[in-house]
Amino acid sequence: MGEAAKKEWRIEIDARLCKGCEICAHFCPTKTLEIKGITMSVRDLSTCIGCQLCDIRCPDFAIQVFPK
Amino acid sequence: MGEAAKKEWRIEIDARLCKGCEICAHFCPTKTLEIKGITMSVRDLSTCIGCQLCDIRCPDFAIQVFPK
Amino acid sequence: MSTEKKKKFLQGNEACIEGALYAGCRFYAGYPITPSTEVMELMALSLPKVGGKFIQMEDEIGSICAAIGGALAGEKAMTGTSGPGFSLKQEALGWACMTEVPLVIVNVMRSGPSTGYPTGPSQSDVMQTKWGSHGDKPTITLVPASVQELFYETIRAFNLSEKYRTPVIVLFDEVIGHMREAITIPEPGEVEVLERRKPTCPPEDYRPYAIQNGEVAPLAPFGEGYRFHVTGLYHAEDGFPTANQQYIHDTGMRLVNKVEHNQDDICENEELFLDDAEVVVFAYGVSSKSAKFAVKELRAGGVKAGLLRPKTIWPFPSNALDKVVAAGNVKKIIVPEMNLGQIYGEVQKVVAGRCEVQGIFRVDTEPIHPKQIMSAVLGHQVEPTVIPDEVLIERPMDG
Amino acid sequence: MSTEKKKKFLQGNEACIEGALYAGCRFYAGYPITPSTEVMELMALSLPKVGGKFIQMEDEIGSICAAIGGALAGEKAMTGTSGPGFSLKQEALGWACMTEVPLVIVNVMRSGPSTGYPTGPSQSDVMQTKWGSHGDKPTITLVPASVQELFYETIRAFNLSEKYRTPVIVLFDEVIGHMREAITIPEPGEVEVLERRKPTCPPEDYRPYAIQNGEVAPLAPFGEGYRFHVTGLYHAEDGFPTANQQYIHDTGMRLVNKVEHNQDDICENEELFLDDAEVVVFAYGVSSKSAKFAVKELRAGGVKAGLLRPKTIWPFPSNALDKVVAAGNVKKIIVPEMNLGQIYGEVQKVVAGRCEVQGIFRVDTEPIHPKQIMSAVLGHQVEPTVIPDEVLIERPMDG
Amino acid sequence: MTTQVTARTVPYKEKKPFDYSPFLRKGKLPHIWCAGCGHGIVLKSLLRAVDATGIAKDDLAMVSGIGCSSRTPGYVDFNTMHTLHGRATAFATGLKLAKPRLKVIVATGDGDAMAIGGNHFIHACRRNMDMLILVYNNYIYGMTSGQASPTTPEEKISTTSRYGSIEPAFDICELAKTAGATFVARGTAYHAQELEKTLYEGLMHRGTAVIDILDSCPTYYGRFNKYKNVAEMMDKIEKDGTVSVAQAAKLSPEKLEGKQLRGILHRSERLEYCDGYKNLVDRVTG
Amino acid sequence: MTTQVTARTVPYKEKKPFDYSPFLRKGKLPHIWCAGCGHGIVLKSLLRAVDATGIAKDDLAMVSGIGCSSRTPGYVDFNTMHTLHGRATAFATGLKLAKPRLKVIVATGDGDAMAIGGNHFIHACRRNMDMLILVYNNYIYGMTSGQASPTTPEEKISTTSRYGSIEPAFDICELAKTAGATFVARGTAYHAQELEKTLYEGLMHRGTAVIDILDSCPTYYGRFNKYKNVAEMMDKIEKDGTVSVAQAAKLSPEKLEGKQLRGILHRSERLEYCDGYKNLVDRVTG
Amino acid sequence: MSSRYELRFSGSGGQGMILAGIIMAEAASIFGGKEAAQSQSYGPESRGGASKSEVIISDEPVDYPKATSIDAMLAMTQESCSKYYKDVKKDGILLIDSTEVKDIPEGPFKLYSYPIIDTARNELGKVITANIISLGMITELTGIVTHEAIEKAVLSRVPPAFLELNKKALQVGFERASELKAAG
Amino acid sequence: MSSRYELRFSGSGGQGMILAGIIMAEAASIFGGKEAAQSQSYGPESRGGASKSEVIISDEPVDYPKATSIDAMLAMTQESCSKYYKDVKKDGILLIDSTEVKDIPEGPFKLYSYPIIDTARNELGKVITANIISLGMITELTGIVTHEAIEKAVLSRVPPAFLELNKKALQVGFERASELKAAG
Ligand SMILES: Cc1ncc(C[n+]2csc(CCOP(=O)(O)OP(=O)(O)O)c2C)c(N)n1
Ligand SMILES: Cc1ncc(C[n+]2csc(CCOP(=O)(O)OP(=O)(O)O)c2C)c(N)n1
Ligand code: SF4
Ligand code: SF4
Ligand code: SF4
Ligand code: SF4
Ligand code: SF4
Ligand code: SF4
Ligand SMILES: [Mg+2]
Ligand SMILES: [Mg+2]
């Protein structure tokens, strides 16, 4: 519906818990995430649409997305 | 069809095997059999129609019906 | 009048259940098997009447697992079986030992191995109660020898299982299970009944496997505010799995020692004419009945025979036996068993060469005859015996 | 070149299977469990290649039952497992004993009781192999202590099971099962392999449980003209159930005695420095490896230590042990075990007070260290030990 | 060698009277079953069916568990095994896999097959190994004197359901079908001749065949549940309580209410396990 | 006291992001599961569903067997039991019967529930005792390093089906339904939000509820069967291999070929076991 | 040991021998102020086979529940008689059903023979009462329990509808046995 | 005992330490004419944890397969180093990955330190070859097996496609170790 104010998001990745499986990145509709070494990281926060799919499918309680 | 020569039958009851359960007598369509004490016996051989139902349902291999 | 009322003429299997109910058992899960079936059937009849829970499970494994589940819910729980079913319960019995769940398991022994002779008595599962499950585990096994005693010992089984937080086995043979005697059922309160100790600490402090004053922590029932974890893996005091070798060592040792080190509290024995006995019969269960008869006969004839009858076979009453041997006047110990010498071996270990040990073994489903014991006491060699003219020709049920 | 070809660098579990295949095993039914899984996996890989039959059953009970079925069809059959699975197999193991079916059962021991510590080694199922099933039954249990020996002993297990028509257990611990060594696989024919004895009499004369020359009758495979009956109930010579007490007695005694009376044929032992030994270490499996190391070190230091290593733990090698004790120069026997003293007790029975017996027990999943044995030989008391700085932190698999 | 047993290819003719003796073990009768026990009727139907198939006795194996019904193998002159409670299909699986030439019959009871043996049962169905599983279903544990079984109907009395069973019963046929059996049928001891034909079909089927056979335990089930005698049990449960698949097609739903179907209820084609194993071996070695 | 646990009566609202911490045991993360193991996704869906029901943690019990999946109870702050391989439902049955107030969740795997535990599973379904059985179905034994399970599809590779499995797989849902479960559903880890709702429905159901959850073991099943990574497994097996009940209604039989149905597949009303037992006690004592 | 009194009831499955033993033991222990233990060899066959039920009565608790040397034995069938009579002690009592037991055992015991089953069928109209008649006879012959005690025990075990029948059967037992005794 | 030579390869799950042990043992026993036994503590964690693989090489059959006093040890991670280094004997060899092990243990052994993983990643393009490089280094440092034997053992274990890569890794190992030795 028109030009709603773009919501902003904060992505928290717990490096202690992330096992680098890349599920989140694979299913992120906006390719916001990318693996760095063996830990997931945010490629470009601005592309995040807060859909939570990364959280929902992360098996390791390692990523959560909050409204900023 | 019509008056066929009435077939005659011989009933063999093995008293060693009969346990007197009366299944044969109960299901005999012509009431040919009756219990005597604890062993099955033939009440009236002439009524037997050789249907073999007594043999088929006797659990104890105790009764058989042969053509005479 | 009122005394007559409390007297009941019961089968051993029935007395066992009367004892269980007296002890507050309100949960039974089982699967029928000869010659223990009446235990289960009487529970099916009785438990609903007192609001207890009875369930027939799909097999013996399911039965003991369900009983453990009932126990963790807070109930005093029981399961019963005989040889083949007891073999099947071994894995879960080990789990209950590891997780320290109070539970009473009845095994009414029949002739083995395998399906054997289902209605024939035997005492051949004695070693199995201790060694049937893999690993070293704690074992408390009671071996009552009369209908009345079965009543009392079943109560004691529940008490011990609560006190030591461990499964307790009530082990008897088909003769004891099926014989009938008049027994007295005491009024409630007459016999001590131990209730489950529950934690009183705040839930966040609850450590279900911590040791306090030498005892394992009380066991909180599920669903009452203490949300803890139970696992058959080696665990730390908090109940969670651990790979720490110190914990593994400590737990492994503690489990076995909580029983072995408390032999004097757990073991009860009947002693007869031991003061001056030169030949002592060490016998339990049905064989002790023959032994008692024989020893009395012999005493009447002036022979210095005595009887040591353990009511508890595991932990093995080595202290009591050692005392008898150490006293010095015993020349021979005779161990009559309806098996091929299971407890005989345990006696040998304790005696350690200090006197002669002679076994009388019998596996033909006939109880050892008092005369066999008498002749052993009098110095004759007794071969494993069958009395062929005593042939049973009944149909072996349950096989 | 050709010698190199026959040398293989294998895990113990793998060597076990190489031995089984060499012995002609062509049937395996199993269910996976740590640390025995490789046994099964290698069979899954190998058997189809030689036209043998492999099946993964729904559980351990089904596995042993299917293996027995395979054996009765005439195959040399095998099943393998570890602690919890071995507990589940007990009932059917008893059936195979009672029905006298040749079968080989592998138990790779892990830390118990219960799920315990699945990847940790232990020797705590030794008593269970003898007493795990209800009733008195025959037990042959081999306890190989190296990869090469595992190969040979597995062959011997098949041979003994054929010879005595009884299940044979190959029992080893996780260390032996998972360690790797180069072994030599002999050419076919180099090692003796006993084939199944089949009846030669006319079918109408076949009595599958009759005794001929002291041996039980040959076992006819199903479907080859001998239509006989097999039951776990007590049976007469013809295999049919019986209630005759004489038969029950005879069969019960015969089953156990066919093993116990043939100790000298069945038992094999390794002896080291026993001639003049004053302290003898009696050790099997992984603990014997520590013991051998310790004894050699001690001898190098002038201490009169010796080693008696049974390769067969059931029947218990009482004759061999007795000989050592009877010789007179032994002051002490040390029994190191990764359990709380299971075989220690058997040694006690045989020694019967004639010399000191000391146990070294360890249940923290770490093998007994040669130093523990050395210090015991040198006269120090050795408590059940954990070496806390050796903490394993790997994830316990299979639990 | 997965060659199948030799079996007759022509449809069989009934033999009246039938001579059972070639199939029985001499001197083993009388059998241990109680007066009126349905197990004997089932056994006789089976022997007639076996004769009809023409399968040689040497090629037949019968495996049972523990229970009154599981005593069947002791009486028949095949290769026979009386095993452990609940484990018959597991033993049979090993036997058959090792020697696919054998035609394997499993004789089991409602307790043996559906209580303790339920898992082996469903897995046997799943594998579709060639074996005929006969469940002598008398809704009770006969041998241990009358406890409830997984097929005891609700509200019925047994020594472990003294106040009437509160557990729903399994439908053996439905379970077998869902688990994968490729031949599923139901018969009754009352319909002994029909049963004979069903057994014949079951024997001729290649794959896992399950036949649920309604049968009576007058001694316990009958006595506890107030049937006057075994004939009344057969009439009420087996005759009035069932309808054949053919009849059922003509009946209204109301008329079918509470009746169990008789006859062949399911039949399908699927690779038999031993054949599949043989293919595997050929693939690996060939 | 068969009073049911207090549960919310209003339909729940999704919470985004969801705070898992009240339901987790402190300090127990990271869990033991491998990178990419689907079990964690299932667990998270479950916790969200539990929150939605409003059932108090004290009223929840989770019982598991042995397997990677069966490690679940160790992480959740309920009353938890990690029992023996295959026996979870049997333990759960005793627990629930003794304390019907508890809502019991069984966490089990395809091996634990359908192989060694198959009999307890079907009998639990038969009794219709109130319990939610979650089968983490990854078509393999994960914990013991990748052997075939009763749900391994034919031809798939495992360490015990090195040449491709020759055994047909069970359909868990069909089996549960036939055995008597009164709520039967299927979900996938891929469809984690849909799964959450299915779990919610399962939790709210009174009676035996079974949910077959397709889930991935990348370490063994994935590696052996040549999936590039876990995402590919989820795409191919869970996304492309399934269709929801709603979608299915619109698809042609060809389109449905080889696809498993997702969603609630069966729901029926039948007296719950503990209620039945309570009636019995009332009858006997009252 | 002196007070130990051993009884054996033997016959075939279905004749109520086990129940007879139970009632006798109850008469002694519950209604007679003594100690008693009853045991049996069970495993009923549908027909035939010998079954036995043993009762040991004593002033003290019974040590060994099986017969060692029998004071009184009942044999209702030939098979059970032949199989079990040998344990009857010197001057002990052996009561047999005279119609069933044709091969009469010899020994240093007192033999009583009576058509118990026929009496049950003909005089009481129910074969099933034979075991109660024999209980009456054994009571009378041995005197080990009182008439009163055995009557109480019988009546506490039978359904109300059969009270009179069983009372009568017992009475018949008492009478016939006392006649037998009188006869020698 | 004198000929007994003890090696320990330690690191974390997934670094190929168990394989390294197996190859070393094969080099000694299959290709080196000696006796060898390899054992391990297993139970791989997906990440972290210390795992070890031990190899005992001897002229005679190996009695005890576990390390008692270590001649040479490799530690690829800090955790495994700290946990296991204590068993290295006097004058034994300890080889550590210099990038990973920062807290360098002290003791009466010879310490060699080298960025093995970095070398694998940077020079061979595959981190996974680190274990083969280290095998080369340990071979060179200890001399317990010949270059030829270890090469044969490595090549018999790797898929054909990776033969060259692994040969090279081994070579790199030999070279760097001999440089280290030379450096003192
Ligand atoms: C492991 C084990 N558990 C229990 C038993 C006891 N048992 C023998 S037969 C039987 C039930 C048999 O019922 P079913 O299969 O229906 O046969 P039926 O006697 O009714 O023909 C049971 C519970 C046993 N022998 N073994
Ligand atoms: C009695 C017994 N048998 C076998 C095992 C070994 N075991 C542990 S877990 C498991 C299979 C688990 O598979 P599944 O339930 O599918 O769980 P997953 O690991 O795949 O989640 C097996 C066979 C055991 N622990 N106990
Ligand atoms: S919330 Fe959605 S868009 Fe943002 S990172 Fe997660 S999956 Fe990608
Ligand atoms: S899904 Fe979770 S564990 Fe996997 S990479 Fe993303 S944040 Fe890490
Ligand atoms: S053959 Fe038929 S008619 Fe003749 S007796 Fe038998 S049942 Fe009756
Ligand atoms: S059916 Fe057979 S056993 Fe029964 S009464 Fe008739 S003949 Fe006798
Ligand atoms: S108890 Fe029942 S099933 Fe068993 S033989 Fe008797 S009637 Fe048949
Ligand atoms: S082995 Fe498989 S099932 Fe187990 S944790 Fe790893 S990925 Fe998950
Ligand atoms: Mg039945
Ligand atoms: Mg799985």
Side-chain angles (χ1 to χ4, degrees), chain F residues 36-58:
Chain F
C37 176
H39 295 349
I41 309 179
V42 177
L43 169 57
K44 285 170 68 186
S45 299
L46 175 69
L47 296 182
R48 295 192 304 271
V50 161
D51 177 65
T53 65
I55 303 173
K57 292 193 289 179
D58 263 353

Side-chain angles (χ1 to χ4, degrees), chain D residues 7 9 34 119 174 178-182 289-290 292-293 296-297 368 370 390-395 397, chain H residues 1 4 22 25-26 29-30 36-38 40-45 49-52 63-65 68 79 83:
Chain D
K7 245 186 160 183
F9 192 75
T34 307
T119 56
E174 186 274 338
H178 283 143
M179 69 178 275
R180 290 180 176 82
E181 287 178 309
K289 299 183 96 66
S290 316
K292 201 166 185 179
F293 184 96
K296 284 188 183 169
E297 286 275 309
I368 288 171
E390 257 295 295
V391 174
L392 288 171
I393 63 160
E394 271 79 8
R395 151 184 165 208
M397 289 181 74
Chain H
M1 304 288 117
R4 185 176 167 106
I22 295 174
E26 281 183 329
S29 65
I30 303 284
Q38 179 274 339
Q40 69 249 354
S41 289
Y42 86 120
E45 282 173 302
S51 93
K52 68 178 182 199
D63 298 326
Y64 183 64
T68 56
E79 187 176 354
K83 199 167 152 199

Side-chain angles (χ1 to χ4, degrees), chain C residues 12-296:
Chain C
N13 284 347
E14 293 168 330
C16 174
I17 290 318
E18 293 287 346
L21 294 170
Y22 189 99
C25 172
R26 291 296 177 271
F27 192 98
Y28 188 96
Y31 192 81
I33 182 167
T34 307
S36 71
T37 304
E38 296 83 1
V39 167
M40 177 168 185
E41 292 177 343
L42 196 59
M43 276 302 199
L45 186 69
S46 307
L47 277 175
K49 293 188 193 161
V50 294
K53 307 295 168 66
F54 168 88
I55 189 166
Q56 175 170 340
M57 292 294 290
E58 49 275 15
D59 64 11
E60 284 88 350
I61 300 177
S63 301
I64 182 168
C65 294
I68 297 171
L72 280 167
E75 293 295 345
K76 291 189 176 178
M78 184 172 187
T79 185
T81 191
S82 296
F86 195 58
S87 287
L88 290 171
K89 288 185 198 286
Q90 292 302 327
E91 189 200 11
L93 171 58
W95 193 87
C97 292
M98 185 64 136
T99 54
E100 301 183 73
V101 175
L103 180 71
V104 172
I105 302 162
V106 171
N107 177 1
V108 188
M109 287 179 283
R110 62 188 232 181
S111 153
S114 197
T115 351
Y117 190 73
T119 57
S122 123
Q123 299 184 301
S124 58
D125 306 348
V126 186
M127 287 299 267
Q128 190 194 22
T129 62
K130 186 164 173 71
W131 300 113
S133 197
H134 60 284
D136 289 289
K137 63 158 179 49
T139 308
I140 300 180
T141 302
L142 311 184
V143 282
S146 74
V147 180
Q148 180 74 62
E149 193 169 281
L150 205 33
F151 175 85
Y152 287 125
E153 290 295 287
T154 306
I155 299 172
R156 201 161 73 90
F158 278 95
N159 288 349
L160 289 169
S161 86
E162 294 296 340
K163 180 164 182 186
Y164 291 100
R165 253 187 76 176
T166 198
V168 173
I169 296 156
V170 183
L171 184 73
F172 49 103
D173 47 84
E174 186 273 339
V175 175
I176 309 287
H178 282 142
M179 68 178 276
R180 290 180 177 82
E181 286 178 311
I183 72 163
T184 309
I185 311 269
E187 295 293 337
E190 266 184 69
V191 178
E192 190 195 10
V193 166
L194 279 188
E195 294 310 330
R196 175 91 36 103
R197 289 180 299 129
K198 293 185 182 182
T200 50
C201 64
E204 55 278 18
D205 295 346
Y206 183 50
R207 303 218 311 297
Y209 295 92
I211 303 307
Q212 294 157 356
N213 314 323
E215 284 191 335
V216 66
L219 183 62
F222 267 34
E224 301 188 6
Y226 296 83
R227 295 184 301 280
F228 63 106
H229 187 56
V230 186
T231 177
L233 290 171
Y234 272 104
H235 41 265
E237 291 187 346
D238 61 2
F240 289 94
T242 181
N244 180 304
Q245 283 187 286
Q246 185 68 54
Y247 282 129
I248 294 176
H249 167 85
D250 289 351
T251 303
M253 298 299 297
R254 180 175 63 73
L255 285 178
V256 170
N257 286 341
K258 76 176 170 182
V259 166
E260 294 302 324
H261 289 176
N262 286 300
Q263 201 194 104
D264 293 337
D265 181 48
I266 299 167
C267 290
E268 288 191 6
N269 303 286
E270 181 187 354
E271 308 193 346
L272 197 67
F273 311 128
L274 287 184
D275 289 349
D276 62 344
E278 288 171 2
V279 181
V280 169
V281 186
F282 184 93
Y284 56 97
V286 62
S287 301
S288 74
K289 299 183 97 66
S290 316
K292 201 166 183 178
F293 184 96
V295 165
K296 284 186 183 170

Side-chain angles (χ1 to χ4, degrees), chain A residues 9 16-17 19-23 26-27 50-67, chain F residues 16-18 20 24 29-37 40-41 43-44 47-48 189-190 192-193 230-231 234-235:
Chain A
W9 301 94
R16 197 183 54 93
L17 296 181
K19 290 175 185 155
C21 68
E22 300 186 48
I23 288 179
H26 182 91
F27 292 113
C51 68
Q52 308 272 353
L53 286 178
C54 50
D55 173 356
I56 291 288
R57 293 212 184 89
C58 168
D60 281 274
F61 300 88
I63 187 167
Q64 290 215 298
V65 183
F66 299 86
Chain F
K16 284 183 177 181
F18 183 84
Y20 297 97
L24 290 171
L29 293 185
H31 50 57
I32 67 155
W33 297 318
C34 304
C37 176
I41 309 179
L43 169 57
K44 285 170 68 186
L47 296 182
R48 295 192 304 271
Y190 175 88
Q193 275 169 300
V230 61
M234 292 172 77
D235 275 335

Side-chain angles (χ1 to χ4, degrees), chain F residues 69-242:
Chain F
S69 33
S70 290
R71 283 300 201 107
T72 307
Y75 303 112
V76 298
D77 190 23
F78 310 148
N79 301 280
T80 57
M81 249 192 254
H82 175 223
T83 70
L84 291 169
H85 191 38
R87 316 301 171 192
T89 49
F91 280 89
T93 299
L95 179 65
K96 174 76 187 179
L97 179 60
K99 204 163 233 166
R101 179 173 61 76
L102 291 174
K103 182 81 206 180
V104 176
I105 303 170
V106 173
T108 177
D110 46 316
D112 196 63
M114 306 314 298
I116 190 168
N119 203 30
H120 308 300
F121 178 82
I122 57 175
H123 281 271
C125 294
R126 179 170 72 86
R127 290 193 193 98
N128 195 35
M129 193 180 275
D130 183 40
M131 78 179 56
L132 172 60
I133 304 175
L134 309 182
V135 187
Y136 292 62
N137 182 2
N138 55 8
Y139 343 109
I140 200 114
Y141 295 174
M143 179 145 274
T144 43
S145 315
Q147 296 79 29
S149 95
T151 63
T152 304
E154 284 182 76
E155 296 176 21
K156 289 295 179 184
I157 305 293
S158 75
T159 60
T160 49
S161 61
R162 299 288 293 253
Y163 310 107
S165 173
I166 62 166
E167 305 202 356
F170 273 143
D171 181 324
I172 297 177
C173 292
E174 284 300 311
L175 203 58
K177 190 174 107 190
T178 308
T182 47
F183 178 102
V184 177
R186 186 176 287 115
T188 83
Y190 175 88
H191 303 88
Q193 275 169 300
E194 181 191 283
L195 175 62
E196 174 186 335
K197 276 158 210 143
T198 308
L199 287 162
Y200 171 83
E201 296 290 331
L203 283 165
M204 298 303 287
H205 178 77
R206 183 154 179 81
T208 304
V210 173
I211 307 183
D212 174 17
I213 305 171
L214 308 188
D215 145 23
S216 316
C217 170
T219 304
Y220 298 112
Y221 191 80
R223 193 148 53 90
F224 297 155
N225 290 293
K226 312 254 183 275
Y227 290 94
K228 267 203 329 276
N229 54 37
V230 61
E232 191 193 69
M233 292 180 77
M234 292 172 77
D235 275 335
K236 290 206 177 153
I237 305 172
E238 299 168 29
K239 180 155 113 333
D240 302 345
T242 64

Side-chain angles (χ1 to χ4, degrees), chain A residues 1-54:
Chain A
M1 311 247 165
E3 293 278 280
K6 191 169 179 305
K7 215 167 164 187
E8 283 184 26
W9 301 94
R10 174 167 55 88
I11 302 178
E12 283 187 13
I13 297 174
D14 187 337
R16 197 183 54 93
L17 296 181
C18 172
K19 290 175 185 155
C21 68
E22 300 186 48
I23 288 179
C24 54
H26 182 91
F27 292 113
C28 169
T30 59
K31 302 288 161 229
T32 296
L33 304 166
E34 81 185 343
I35 190 92
K36 277 239 175 84
I38 48 165
T39 309
M40 191 46 60
S41 67
V42 179
R43 194 181 47 80
D44 178 359
L45 186 57
S46 70
T47 56
C48 177
I49 55 168
C51 68
Q52 308 272 353
L53 286 178
C54 50

